[in-house]
Amino acid sequence: MSEPEGATQRLPVLEKAEPAPDEGGHPHARRFWSARRVPAGIVAALLVGGFGLFLYDICAVRAGHSAMRWRRVLAHQLATRPLDDVWVRVGAGVAAALGLWLIVLALTPGLRALLPMRRTHPDVRAALTRDAAALVLRDRAMEVSGVQSARVRVRRRKANVRAMSHFRELDDVHADLDEVLGDAVRGLGLARPPRLAVRVRRPGRKG
């Protein structure tokens, strides 16, 4: 049956396929970078204050006034103290440590408590905190038969699980924990799933 002339026709729509999650980790799921507003604000305030004070003193000298006493003392100390003086070494060490600290802050992402999750959409980024991941793994470990208590510590590349079993063979409990926690780690949806390190032991005797 032909449609009447001028009728609205529905055009075919090409849907954009969503990228499938990669179990081994998504190459574009990078770590979150910290803004580090406090260190940046401190450095900016010190630089503005120091340069402003120097500029004011230089302008005062050019206007015919004498230089500030602190600048005369600083110039005298820098001109007369030898390089092997204790205070010169201390000042150089402090300046080098501060400079190294700023370089480390500039080159490292920070926010180590956030674990990036797999990106199923290019415009969406998500992360899971280490404490939340550890809580999920601990709850799953407590569901295993024979586990009396469990402690979980999640790092960037490794999840340490310490469980205590009050009955069943330790090898059987360990095998069940490996299976259950392996599924739990994959279910977290992390871009770089941590490696499991499971240890099972008996509770200590009382008394």
Side-chain angles (χ1 to χ4, degrees), residues 77-96:
Q77 293 293 334
L78 293 176
T80 57
R81 283 186 179 271
L83 295 179
D84 58 351
D85 185 77
V86 175
W87 290 108
V88 173
R89 292 183 177 182
V90 171
V94 172

Side-chain angles (χ1 to χ4, degrees), residues 132-144:
L135 182 60
V136 171
L137 296 182
R138 179 187 175 277
D139 291 342
R140 292 297 303 274
M142 293 299 297
E143 296 175 358
V144 176

Side-chain angles (χ1 to χ4, degrees), residues 118-139:
R118 290 192 300 267
R119 298 185 65 177
T120 58
H121 194 281
D123 298 329
V124 178
R125 296 186 65 195
L128 187 67
T129 63
R130 293 186 185 183
D131 292 340
L135 182 60
V136 171
L137 296 182
R138 179 187 175 277
D139 291 342

Side-chain angles (χ1 to χ4, degrees), residues 138 141-142 146-151 162-166 201 203:
R138 179 187 175 277
M142 293 299 297
V147 175
Q148 182 181 21
S149 62
R151 292 187 304 172
R162 300 292 180 264
M164 299 183 66
S165 176
H166 56 299
R201 63 185 181 89

